Amino acid sequence: MTATTSTDWQRWQTSWDRQQEWYMPDREERFRVMLDTVEAVAGPAPRVLDLACGTGSISDRLLRRLPGATSTCVDIDPALLTIARGHFAGDDRVTFVEADLTAPGWTERLPHVSYDAVVTATALHWLDTEPLRRLYGALAGLLREGGVFLNADHMEDGSAPRINAALGALHARRQEERRRQGASDWVDWWQAVADDPVLAGAAAERFALLGDPRKPRTGDGPRDRPTLTRWHVETLLEQGFGEARQVWCSASDALVAALR
């Protein structure tokens, strides 16, 4: 049997979801609002670009919600792409592209020149201000007129620091309680991937390319990563989108929608 047929890819999808929910207990609500917006703007059978797709969490929910949709899944992480490819094996609605979103010409690898919707979640916060600004401009060029971009990520409203601090403290207490009950975090999950015989090779590639999540990061200089929701809205408008607004938020995260 091949790795694709012998590995329980749904188990890996579920374990990814559980460790992500340890950080973001309202993750499913973000996805619901995101897909509501895709359907409202692009209809029941959209052509979607799933940006920094990871294990394919958004595409999985998209195709269950809108069976007539198609998805192009783009990521640079070999381990997460291995899980995603295994999970969607045999589904011709899904296409995979391995690409670095900060590299010039990455859009030339895509199978389509335009999309009805571009979606991403908990990914672009890794980018510094200028690479993210350039990416937003590239996405404006990929969307058809009237298409929608949706970014759910770590963004905050800096206007209410005491409220933010109180909600953050409550979240930290709940996280610690779930940890005592056995919840896995980012490091635990990657250790499990590295220990799996099927995924160990892809995990080693990932660690060499992007760093080992099980180890403290060293050698990084100062970062310039935008954290305010307002910056994202204003930058999307500057980069060619016709309108943009926050459509959902929690204490630490927001979902921003921008219409081409």
Side-chain angles (χ1 to χ4, degrees), residues 47-118:
R47 176 188 291 169
V48 176
L49 176 61
D50 186 349
L51 206 64
C53 66
T55 64
S57 297
I58 301 176
S59 288
D60 182 53
R61 289 156 178 78
L62 168 74
L63 297 176
R64 283 190 275 121
R65 165 83 171 262
L66 302 174
T70 59
S71 179
T72 300
C73 290
V74 179
D75 209 297
I76 194 175
D77 189 315
L80 299 184
L81 281 174
T82 297
I83 295 170
R85 287 188 173 106
H87 180 71
F88 291 107
D91 191 335
D92 59 8
R93 297 173 297 175
V94 184
T95 304
F96 290 96
V97 175
E98 192 165 347
D100 180 350
L101 300 180
T102 65
W106 71 269
T107 59
E108 297 171 9
R109 297 189 176 197
L110 301 176
H112 306 291
V113 297
S114 69
Y115 288 85
D116 301 310
V118 178

Side-chain angles (χ1 to χ4, degrees), residues 7-17 60 83 86-87:
T7 299
D8 185 352
W9 298 112
Q10 182 58 57
R11 179 178 67 83
W12 279 110
Q13 284 283 352
T14 301
S15 71
W16 173 262
D17 285 342
D60 182 53
I83 295 170
H87 180 71

Side-chain angles (χ1 to χ4, degrees), residues 156-167 251:
E156 61 184 11
D157 183 339
S159 66
R162 287 183 296 167
I163 294 174
N164 293 346
L167 289 170

Side-chain angles (χ1 to χ4, degrees), residues 11-203:
R11 179 178 67 83
W12 279 110
Q13 284 283 352
T14 301
S15 71
W16 173 262
D17 285 342
R18 296 295 86 80
Q19 66 91 3
Q20 288 286 287
E21 288 164 1
W22 185 73
Y23 297 97
M24 296 166 289
D26 41 21
R27 184 168 174 258
E28 289 299 330
E29 179 69 8
R30 292 197 311 170
F31 287 146
R32 183 190 66 77
V33 177
M34 175 182 283
L35 296 181
D36 279 352
T37 311
V38 170
E39 184 176 9
V41 173
R47 176 188 291 169
V48 176
L49 176 61
D50 186 349
L51 206 64
C53 66
T55 64
S57 297
I58 301 176
S59 288
D60 182 53
R61 289 156 178 78
L62 168 74
L63 297 176
R64 283 190 275 121
R65 165 83 171 262
L66 302 174
T70 59
S71 179
T72 300
C73 290
V74 179
D75 209 297
I76 194 175
D77 189 315
L80 299 184
L81 281 174
T82 297
I83 295 170
R85 287 188 173 106
H87 180 71
F88 291 107
D91 191 335
D92 59 8
R93 297 173 297 175
V94 184
T95 304
F96 290 96
V97 175
E98 192 165 347
D100 180 350
L101 300 180
T102 65
W106 71 269
T107 59
E108 297 171 9
R109 297 189 176 197
L110 301 176
H112 306 291
V113 297
S114 69
Y115 288 85
D116 301 310
V118 178
V119 296
T120 188
T122 324
L124 301 188
H125 64 271
W126 292 105
L127 299 183
D128 286 339
T129 297
E130 288 312 311
L132 185 54
R133 190 190 309 275
R134 290 193 296 271
L135 178 62
Y136 281 171
L139 297 180
L142 280 174
L143 281 164
R144 65 164 173 81
E145 190 70 27
V148 65
F149 168 59
L150 290 146
N151 180 17
D153 211 339
H154 305 322
M155 309 176 202
E156 61 184 11
D157 183 339
S159 66
R162 287 183 296 167
I163 294 174
N164 293 346
L167 289 170
L170 176 62
H171 175 59
R173 291 195 297 273
R174 288 176 173 172
Q175 268 193 314
E176 184 58 34
E177 176 60 29
R178 287 193 293 271
R179 194 79 167 116
R180 286 194 294 269
Q181 294 169 359
S184 295
D185 66 5
W186 178 252
V187 173
D188 295 335
W189 191 84
W190 279 106
Q191 185 62 56
V193 171
D195 291 341
D196 186 278
V198 173
L199 292 171

